[in-house]
């Protein structure tokens, strides 16, 4: 077991490393955006090819942090590419940066998501992540944007959009979900408590969502009646 001096020495090295990381980050942050994005997009692809998962996560998390400070469509697309990683840590970092950007510049992120729906292949890990991310943003265009996911061929993305619309609690989402009640595609969902998974059709998920949204609408009408 290491003694106190060894622990303090190691802690000091950790502080030094963090100090160096912040200094280097600041140096990169002032590089002209186009030049930096050229390098970062290449680094994302290299990280996706990296066989060492820990090394890939380390790179992608740092890249996401840098991208979160950039503006414009290239930065949004690159963050979504990080979100498409198989690594949960990288996806979390990219998701947090995208959500923060969406609060400040929703239109910019929404346009990037629309591009992602067209350019990302079915099965991309980013597709089921994006609906939950945008559902957290208090913007009137969120429901319409989620509706675009409902038309996607990726069943997991559709399921995520259905659940996000329920979380949003907007009764207007019902008309978007209604066409899916006969959809026989299946998805795996976590059981309550997260102890296992079960297979359901998108149609079953849609019917359940419609029931929940109807209940929200009834509650809103009751509240309006009380106030009047």
């Amino acid at each position: 077991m290491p003694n106190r001096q060894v622990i303090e020495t190691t802690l000091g090295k950790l502080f030094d490393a963090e100090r160096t990381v912040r200094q280097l980050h600041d140096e990169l942050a002032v590089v002209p955006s186009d030049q930096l994005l050229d390098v970062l997009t290449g680094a994302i692809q290299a990280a996706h090819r990296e066989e060492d998962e820990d090394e890939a996560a380390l790179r992608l998390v740092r890249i996401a942090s840098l991208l979160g400070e950039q503006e414009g469509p290239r930065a949004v697309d690159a963050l979504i590419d990080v979100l498409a990683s198989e690594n949960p840590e990288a996806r979390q970092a990219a998701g947090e940066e995208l959500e923060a950007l969406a609060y400040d510049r929703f239109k910019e992120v929404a346009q990037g998501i629309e591009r992602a729906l067209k350019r990302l292949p079915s099965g991309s890990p980013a597709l089921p992540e994006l609906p939950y991310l945008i559902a957290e943003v208090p913007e009137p265009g969120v429901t319409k944007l989620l509706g675009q996911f409902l038309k996607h061929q990726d069943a997991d993305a559709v399921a995520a959009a259905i659940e996000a619309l329920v979380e949003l609690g907007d009764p207007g989402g019902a008309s978007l979900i209604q066409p899916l009640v006969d959809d026989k595609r299946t998805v795996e969902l976590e059981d309550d408590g997260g102890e296992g998974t079960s297979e359901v059709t998108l149609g079953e998920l849609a019917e359940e969502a419609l029931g929940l949204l109807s209940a929200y609408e009834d509650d809103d009408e009751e509240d309006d009646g009380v106030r009047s």
Side-chain angles (χ1 to χ4, degrees):
M1 180 179 296
N3 59 34
R4 182 182 180 87
Q5 184 177 359
V6 172
I7 295 173
E8 289 179 344
T9 299
T10 303
L11 183 60
K13 291 179 180 178
L14 180 63
F15 292 155
D16 290 341
E18 179 63 23
R19 196 174 295 111
T20 299
V21 167
R22 294 187 180 193
Q23 178 184 343
L24 295 173
H25 181 101
D26 290 343
E27 291 177 6
L28 287 171
V30 297
V31 172
S33 183
D34 285 344
Q35 293 181 28
L36 181 60
L37 287 169
D38 284 344
V39 175
L40 291 180
T41 52
I44 292 170
Q45 299 307 314
H48 284 326
R49 295 191 298 269
E50 174 60 52
E51 295 182 359
D52 185 328
E53 291 186 7
D54 291 338
E55 176 67 20
L58 178 151
R59 296 183 190 184
L60 291 170
V61 168
R62 180 52 53 187
I63 290 170
S65 179
L66 286 162
L67 288 171
E69 298 175 356
Q70 304 300 307
E71 296 184 6
R74 290 185 68 194
V76 174
D77 288 349
L79 272 172
I80 292 175
D81 287 340
V82 176
L83 191 67
S85 167
E86 296 286 350
N87 186 282
E89 184 181 359
R91 288 202 304 273
Q92 180 177 350
E96 290 174 355
E97 296 293 344
L98 277 167
E99 185 174 339
L101 284 178
Y103 272 91
D104 292 336
R105 303 193 297 275
F106 177 74
K107 182 178 180 180
E108 192 174 298
V109 174
Q111 289 174 339
I113 291 173
E114 290 176 339
R115 290 191 298 273
L117 284 167
K118 296 176 182 177
R119 68 183 180 85
L120 294 181
S122 182
S124 169
L127 290 172
E129 297 277 357
L130 288 167
Y132 299 116
L133 185 155
I134 59 175
E136 298 294 327
V137 184
E139 289 285 345
V142 168
T143 297
K144 182 179 179 180
L145 187 56
L146 287 172
Q148 296 186 42
F149 281 87
L150 298 178
K151 301 174 184 178
H152 203 277
Q153 61 181 353
D154 188 305
D156 288 324
V158 176
I162 292 173
E163 293 187 338
L165 282 166
V166 172
E167 289 181 11
L168 200 60
D170 180 4
S175 61
L176 301 174
I177 295 173
Q178 182 64 46
L180 293 167
V181 293
D182 294 322
D183 197 313
K184 302 301 182 184
R185 287 177 291 173
T186 59
V187 292
E188 293 282 341
L189 297 181
E190 283 192 3
D191 296 329
D192 292 339
E195 296 181 355
T197 60
S198 58
E199 187 177 90
V200 299
T201 68
L202 289 178
E204 292 170 336
L205 198 60
E207 287 185 357
E208 181 180 359
L210 290 172
L212 292 170
L213 289 173
S214 176
Y216 292 151
E217 188 172 20
D218 291 342
D219 289 343
D220 288 342
E221 291 176 354
E222 289 179 5
D223 290 342
D224 290 341
V226 171
R227 286 193 292 271
S228 62

